[in-house]
Amino acid sequence: MAETVRIAIGKEELELPVVVGTESERGIDISNLRARTGMVTLDPAFMNTASTESSITFLDGEKGILRYRGIPIEELGEKSTFTETAYLLVYGHLPTRDELEKWDHLLTRHSMIHEDMKRFFDGYPMTAHPMAILSAMITSLSSFYPYALNAKADEYRDITIARLIAKMPTIAAFSYKKSIGHPFVYPRNDLSYCANFLHEMFAVPAESYQPDDVAVRALNLLLILHADHEQNCSTSTVRIVGSAQTNLFASISAGICALWGPLHGGANQEVVEMLTDIRKKGLTAAQFIAQVKDKKSGVRLMGFGHRVYKNFDPRAKIIKKACDEVLDRLGIRDPMLDLAKELEEAALHDPYFIERKLYPNVDFYSGIIYRALGIPTGMFTVMFALGRLPGWIAHWKEMIEDPATKIGRPRQIYMGPRETHYVPLDKRA
Ligand code: ACO
């Protein structure tokens, strides 16, 4: 028999169904609560609210598990490529050889942007944050593909998805070239997705450029690890914007804006800025940790803590290991890595962090690899967006293709003034 729970409201008892997930997570279905009782639930920051059922990503924050479509992140990081993982997330299964060839072909052939779009970049100051440019450019893509404006029409959905994934690296790299005053570098069809991105970022017309294999592999790994993370802030944003049947480009642009925040994807930039600052001030790890523990200082150890992980973030474990390998193979010695390790060590043995279950998250070490690849700090959150794109798309697609989807519209508990009356200007105190 299906599980239910009973709740008592005054003298009335209510029986509510329990939804059980494939990994035995249990949620009380309160979708009829207001209709039956006139009451709503109050859950600031959605700490206890599952906003949807989803078949894309499973994560267990207590055990430190992360799986895309059932496959552990560790296996994907070791064996897959970013484009294959993107296919897995978006279409729900690992592609066959034929499907993968077609997919990679699409992602290669659609990587150029309309020449008119290049002129959009001219309007930005050189100091523009690349996330501002990225979000504006992604929503602007909708003006070049008007048939994609109808989110419900499925005949162009696949090509729109491919176009978006294909063009994102080009737009991201152009925003970087703009910031340093270099000419835009067009994509190369003979390169893989990650190699092409490095080419678009670092090639210059004055000399030939060959992406380094170690750098390509490291980038593949980082993008795979960032590719999805179920109902986080930016993904929930994409879903709620998309629930109004907003087109894919605009929905993803909204997700990019959410990701930009320092408490979300912006944290990878904050981590490196924090490490730079600690070094500049000549603080020891212990001195900085003492500042973090002093609540009055308002200082946080960026790259630590997570809403869901109360154990090691499995992505952080993989990235930390990759950090050593990548820097070693590229022959780079980065004092930031040593400092990051000292901070981690100090934090993991400190009761403040132990009691609050604060562990390194995905952002703690990723910036150090990005630095080793030559990616400037201001681009770190763009790199996160590049990785997260297939996850956002998979969630948008799952939502838009579900006939039960309704527009997202939370309730509130109003705490403002009760009815009052307009006071003419000359009568106001
Ligand atoms: N440094 C110091 N103290 C922290 C940190 C931190 N990084 N993170 C949490 N805490 C403390 C809080 O001050 C709070 O202490 P209190 O109980 O004494 O008040 C307690 O731990 C719980 O923290 P909350 O902020 O309530 O936890 P929440 O789940 O709301 O926040 C968040 C999670 C935003 C990730 C938080 O840990 C944080 O700000 N971390 C730093 C920023 C960061 O790295 N963000 C990236 C997250 S991963 C991602 O989005 C890709």
Side-chain angles (χ1 to χ4, degrees):
M1 223 178 67
E3 187 184 350
T4 58
V5 291
R6 287 172 182 278
I7 58 166
I9 300 178
K11 285 190 186 131
E12 254 190 82
E13 209 176 67
L14 209 66
E15 190 168 12
L16 296 168
V18 171
V19 178
V20 184
T22 48
E23 291 285 348
S24 309
E25 287 163 310
R26 290 151 76 235
I28 305 168
D29 178 352
I30 55 146
S31 49
N32 289 327
L33 186 72
R34 190 168 175 276
R36 288 169 68 184
T37 66
M39 291 173 90
V40 294
T41 54
L42 176 65
D43 185 20
F46 311 121
M47 310 264 289
N48 306 280
T49 295
S51 58
T52 184
E53 292 177 17
S54 178
S55 310
I56 301 169
T57 287
F58 173 68
L59 110 72
D60 183 326
E62 267 72 37
K63 297 195 185 124
I65 295 173
L66 176 60
R67 299 184 199 129
Y68 301 158
R69 303 285 188 182
I71 304 179
I73 192 72
E74 292 80 5
E75 278 180 43
L76 290 167
E78 197 190 321
K79 297 179 179 156
S80 188
T81 61
F82 177 61
T83 55
E84 184 186 58
T85 297
Y87 187 99
L88 169 74
L89 283 165
V90 174
Y91 293 107
H93 62 272
L94 284 170
T96 61
R97 193 179 298 277
D98 188 40
E99 284 168 334
L100 186 59
E101 267 171 27
K102 284 190 186 135
W103 176 241
D104 279 339
H105 184 79
L106 275 178
L107 298 190
T108 306
R109 299 288 147 168
H110 291 280
S111 53
M112 288 195 298
I113 57 170
H114 197 289
E115 281 295 292
D116 287 347
M117 248 186 114
K118 266 173 55 187
R119 290 204 291 277
F120 297 1
F121 290 85
D122 293 342
Y124 288 94
M126 273 180 77
T127 50
H129 196 290
M131 285 297 274
I133 301 182
L134 185 68
S135 61
M137 293 295 163
I138 295 301
T139 198
S140 300
L141 281 175
S142 58
S143 45
F144 293 90
Y145 304 101
Y147 45 79
L149 294 181
N150 181 356
K152 290 300 276 181
D154 53 11
E155 65 268 38
Y156 295 110
R157 190 166 297 141
D158 289 339
I159 188 66
T160 302
I161 289 171
R163 280 201 168 108
L164 180 49
I165 300 179
K167 291 179 199 311
M168 183 92 155
T170 305
I171 292 172
F174 279 18
S175 72
Y176 169 59
K177 291 294 194 189
K178 162 80 196 179
S179 74
I180 54 168
H182 280 192
F184 298 139
V185 173
Y186 284 66
R188 260 176 57 187
N189 286 356
D190 60 320
L191 295 176
S192 69
Y193 190 87
C194 288
N196 179 56
F197 175 69
L198 293 173
H199 154 77
E200 289 177 301
M201 284 284 289
F202 301 120
V204 288
E207 59 188 35
S208 66
Y209 173 83
Q210 194 52 40
D212 186 306
D213 281 348
V214 175
V216 172
R217 274 202 302 280
L219 186 56
N220 256 299
L221 174 68
L222 284 174
L223 297 186
I224 288 171
L225 296 179
H226 284 85
D228 194 39
H229 213 232
E230 49 116 306
Q231 313 305 324
N232 56 83
C233 177
S234 55
T235 303
S236 299
T237 302
V238 170
R239 286 188 90 119
I240 203 151
V241 173
S243 76
Q245 298 184 1
T246 304
N247 72 77
L248 179 67
F249 298 119
S251 303
I252 298 296
S253 173
I256 291 170
C257 292
L259 187 77
W260 193 0
L263 296 189
H264 191 12
N268 56 12
Q269 175 174 342
E270 301 272 332
V271 169
V272 168
E273 284 169 1
M274 171 187 78
L275 296 174
T276 311
D277 198 48
I278 297 173
R279 279 172 50 79
K280 214 189 285 165
K281 289 182 180 147
L283 297 174
T284 62
Q287 284 167 329
F288 185 73
I289 293 291
Q291 275 187 18
V292 170
K293 285 159 51 179
D294 173 9
K295 292 276 177 179
K296 281 185 265 138
S297 73
V299 177
R300 283 201 166 196
L301 180 56
M302 299 310 283
F304 253 71
H306 198 277
R307 171 60 58 79
V308 182
Y309 291 119
K310 301 301 168 198
N311 194 332
F312 265 95
D313 179 336
R315 303 166 301 173
K317 271 195 202 166
I318 302 173
I319 295 180
K320 183 180 175 189
K321 190 161 159 266
C323 243
D324 283 322
E325 286 166 11
V326 172
L327 267 63
D328 195 41
R329 281 201 228 129
L330 294 176
I332 295 172
R333 169 132 190 90
D334 188 346
M336 296 278 203
L337 179 58
D338 300 330
L339 176 57
K341 284 183 180 171
E342 279 172 42
L343 285 168
E344 181 191 349
E345 197 56 22
L348 292 180
H349 289 96
D350 193 295
Y352 175 97
F353 292 87
I354 296 169
E355 279 157 22
R356 290 170 179 78
K357 299 189 174 158
L358 301 170
Y359 292 88
N361 61 47
V362 68
D363 290 322
F364 196 64
Y365 286 105
S366 62
I368 293 168
I369 302 193
Y370 288 137
R371 270 164 64 84
L373 304 187
I375 291 165
T377 317
M379 281 290 289
F380 287 1
T381 315
V382 170
M383 300 306 297
F384 195 149
L386 192 59
R388 184 55 53 85
L389 182 63
W392 288 331
I393 293 174
H395 283 273
W396 182 90
K397 185 170 180 291
E398 184 179 66
M399 181 223 40
I400 213 84
E401 290 177 355
D402 180 353
T405 294
K406 289 184 172 199
I407 187 167
R409 204 311 187 176
R411 295 267 173 177
Q412 65 168 12
I413 306 291
Y414 177 68
M415 295 294 194
R418 302 202 63 184
E419 186 176 4
T420 177
H421 294 287
Y422 182 81
V423 181
L425 194 53
D426 57 356
K427 300 251 163 56
R428 290 177 214 164

